[in-house]
Amino acid sequence: MKFKTTLILICIAFLFSCKKENNTSNPDIVHQNLNLKITATSFLFDTAVLINFDNNASNDFFLRMRYSTLRGVSHDLFFASDDSRNQWLVYEDGEDAIASLLAENTTIDSTSAIWSSSGILYRKYLTLISFTNAVGAGDVMVGVRFIMDTKYHYGWVKLSVSSDFKTVTVKEYAYRNTPNKAIKAGEY
């Protein structure tokens, strides 16, 4: 009798734990932890991280970090895509397209402000420091949209930039599997 009671309690606990997990995730959202890290390792450093959301033959986005101590110190993180239809949510500052840093639960969709296929996340050149809200701020999120089967899919990327500009970590991303449907920053 004790064995049956114990077995029934284990089964009930298992069912509740499974049900609880299903309620916390959205089956229409694809989420991936990445933890891709770029660290400047020399006085003249230039490299990129590639992101392929839908695991097809082509990369959807890349982040390019440049770091130099020749003739002063300069750092920047440039984002872009080989396909101009794949875009980042940005704001404009003069001629620059700057990645918009999003608060959690910010809606990302076709009505979001300005979309651009390239721009910058931060820049420091000699004593001119600009667009550094992401530097040393911990985890930040940026909005993205990309083409899959000729339709836009909206998503977000979480990353962090060290306060010394030398390390960028792309931590995770998520996107809505249903085309042309909004997603909230941080949602999965």
Side-chain angles (χ1 to χ4, degrees), residues 53-135:
F53 284 119
D54 51 354
N55 294 315
N56 63 5
S58 62
N59 291 307
D60 298 306
F61 297 99
F62 65 86
L63 296 167
R64 179 178 177 199
M65 175 197 241
R66 295 182 299 186
Y67 178 85
S68 171
T69 56
L70 297 174
R71 296 187 208 134
V73 177
S74 66
H75 323 276
D76 65 9
L77 184 68
F78 178 79
F79 55 84
S81 173
D82 293 331
D83 182 338
S84 64
R85 299 172 301 169
N86 295 345
Q87 301 172 334
W88 300 78
L89 186 57
V90 301
Y91 68 92
E92 291 178 338
D93 187 314
E95 295 179 6
D96 292 312
I98 313 304
S100 295
L101 304 183
L102 304 177
E104 192 153 344
N105 293 318
T106 300
T107 300
I108 304 164
D109 64 9
S110 62
T111 65
S112 298
I114 302 169
W115 292 98
S116 175
S117 61
S118 65
I120 61 173
L121 182 65
Y122 65 78
R123 175 187 297 148
K124 178 181 178 188
Y125 182 69
L126 299 174
T127 58
L128 173 67
I129 300 173
S130 55
F131 320 122
T132 58
N133 291 344
V135 176

Side-chain angles (χ1 to χ4, degrees), residues 3 11 22 116 157:
F3 178 73
C11 289
N22 288 338
S116 175
V157 176

Side-chain angles (χ1 to χ4, degrees), residues 161-182:
V161 180
S162 65
S163 58
D164 65 0
F165 294 85
K166 290 185 179 181
T167 303
V168 175
T169 305
V170 182
K171 296 192 170 188
E172 60 184 308
Y173 68 79
Y175 68 90
R176 181 74 69 178
N177 207 26
T178 302
N180 300 315
K181 188 172 178 186

